[in-house]
Amino acid sequence: MKTRNQLVQFVLVGLLCSGIAFAQSEKTVNVGGAPMYPSKNIVQNALNSKDHTTLVAAVKAAGLVDVLQSAGPFTVFAPTNAAFDKLPAGTVDYLLKPENLEKLQTVLKFHVVAGKFSAEDLMNLVKKGKGKATLKTVAGGELTVTQKGNTLMVSDRNGNVATVTIGNVFQSNGVIHVVDTVVLP
């Protein structure tokens, strides 16, 4: 009996250690002062970023948490708090009101593309498109991706241009590219 208990303890310690070793071996990217783990989904990682509290609050208010935790894959152009601060005064508060749920959902879904597009994938699309690539968002609109040197920019039809400040934040269900501007449908 003692040997069996020792064996069970040994196995449990081994599993625990391998889980810790796996977490330590993951290639993370720091966003908002927190490591983003490729084994976690988009929402699990975004919750830890101090730079994305407005985005997380908006995703929760819009009822999109379950969608962004699903298998995907998704490419998310994730605006920072500073990006939301650049919107006209009162815009975020307006969008977060329950009566504006559809507008909020549309704005958020406009930052999401079905599929997993790394920065390299986007650059290849831009090259193939002779300087620009068009991506269809899950909101149904289009984003235009351009490149200047090694920097990617994403623009909407209204002339808003978001620069990718941190690219290739890989998630279990896609990839996040942090952007400095909110693009609008």
Side-chain angles (χ1 to χ4, degrees):
M1 184 71 162
K2 184 177 178 184
T3 304
R4 182 174 175 232
N5 285 342
Q6 288 174 329
L7 179 62
V8 169
Q9 288 175 352
F10 178 75
V11 169
L12 289 175
V13 168
L15 289 172
L16 177 63
C17 289
S18 66
I20 291 170
F22 173 73
Q24 291 175 343
S25 70
E26 283 188 274
K27 185 175 190 251
T28 62
V29 175
N30 277 350
V31 176
M36 301 289 114
Y37 293 96
S39 61
K40 293 184 177 183
N41 68 46
I42 291 166
V43 174
Q44 290 170 325
N45 275 320
L47 285 169
N48 294 318
S49 170
K50 292 177 186 164
D51 291 344
H52 291 90
T53 56
T54 303
L55 178 61
V56 168
V59 167
K60 287 179 179 179
L64 297 174
V65 170
D66 289 342
V67 172
L68 292 174
Q69 289 186 115
S70 69
F74 304 106
T75 298
V76 177
F77 296 98
T80 60
N81 296 338
F84 281 101
D85 290 345
K86 292 193 310 189
L87 291 171
T91 301
V92 173
D93 290 335
Y94 170 80
L95 288 170
L96 290 174
K97 290 181 179 179
E99 61 268 24
N100 298 321
L101 176 65
E102 284 185 38
K103 289 178 184 174
L104 176 62
Q105 289 174 335
T106 300
V107 168
L108 294 173
K109 289 178 182 179
F110 197 69
H111 290 81
V112 181
V113 175
K116 184 177 181 179
F117 295 95
S118 69
E120 183 179 357
D121 295 334
L122 294 172
M123 289 177 182
N124 287 336
L125 288 172
V126 169
K127 185 177 180 180
K128 186 177 177 181
K130 297 183 181 11
K132 70 178 184 176
T134 303
L135 301 175
K136 187 161 181 100
T137 71
V138 297
E142 291 182 344
L143 292 173
T144 301
V145 181
T146 56
Q147 181 180 348
K148 187 174 186 179
N150 287 327
T151 303
L152 288 167
M153 283 83 61
V154 181
S155 59
D156 60 31
R157 63 186 171 103
N158 305 304
N160 298 305
V161 180
T163 299
V164 174
T165 58
I166 303 173
N168 291 338
V169 185
F170 294 106
Q171 319 287 302
S172 64
N173 62 343
V175 61
I176 290 174
H177 300 290
V178 177
V179 293
D180 67 352
T181 303
V182 176
V183 288
L184 298 168

